[in-house]
Amino acid sequence: MSLVVLKLGGSVVTDKDEAETVDEAGLGAAVDAVAALAETGQVVVVHGGGSFGHHHAADHGVSSETGTYDVVGIREINDAMKRLNDAVLDALAERGVAGLPVHPLSAGAREEDGSLSLPLAATETMLEEGFVPILHGDVIAHAGKGATIVSGDDLVVSLAAGLDADRVGLCSTVPGVLDTDGDVIPEITAFEDAADALGGSESTDVTGGMAAKVQKLLALGAPAHIFGPEGLSAFVAGESPGTVIRGE
Ligand code: IP8
């Protein structure tokens, strides 16, 4: 059975300008897509932080680089993400999809060099038993730093590699990887295909933005599609909306 890992960007499922506010229309369209994928195969969903995780993280000065030992702050960030996770699970349940939460804070950790270790037994067994595991960007224990933020994108890479996914989808508010004219690049098979637009490989660690994302997705064994909400139904149909990233 084919396995899809789908990331729902925080800006797709929440209203980024209003604290802890779900974007009902965006979430509705996203969970419709998850329901359609779940009908024909296995699917793992990861959602981002949007207006739930990010301002709590900023309030406590926590990022993917800067950690904290403040347990109140760690819990505030994690609790906010669990509230968003609940909203996603509820919306799925309304469509008859058997989603179950996997909270990264309690499931994984980061090593000193920042690499993510995410044991997959829970996710794998849920899939085998017909559930849809729903993970999310989170705060996570980090060796030597207390706890830092793990983004949904990092979780997607780890899940897709560890579960040997057949396809990966990253739905955010950008329609794909854009070239220097602002047009979507249909396919990237090597970093050089998009180096001009992404600012070169040397900037990947600093920006942590699209360049870093493309580098990580190129290393996967499965095609990864980056698209906006308008591309969701095409992705579900097995088409190639936005940019497809295919490593060699
Ligand atoms: O929105 C970040 O996840 P992302 C999650 O996928 C938190 O980067 C807790 C800010």
Side-chain angles (χ1 to χ4, degrees), residues 7-11 16 46-50 52-58 62 77-78 81 136-139 149-155:
K7 159 98 191 272
L8 302 173
S11 50
K16 276 204 126 174
V46 179
H47 63 80
F52 285 74
H54 286 281
H55 71 271
H56 288 289
V62 191
I77 299 165
N78 175 248
M81 288 309 302
H136 53 85
D138 205 353
V139 61
I149 300 300
V150 61
S151 77
D153 292 345
D154 287 337
L155 295 164

Side-chain angles (χ1 to χ4, degrees), residues 25-47:
L27 178 62
V31 292
D32 283 345
V34 175
L37 287 169
E39 264 176 32
T40 54
Q42 292 180 323
V43 55
V44 178
V45 176
V46 179
H47 63 80

Side-chain angles (χ1 to χ4, degrees), residues 24 27-28 31-32 85-97:
E24 298 293 346
L27 178 62
V31 292
D32 283 345
N85 192 248
D86 271 342
V88 175
L89 291 165
D90 287 347
L92 285 167
E94 278 170 24
R95 287 153 179 85
V97 178

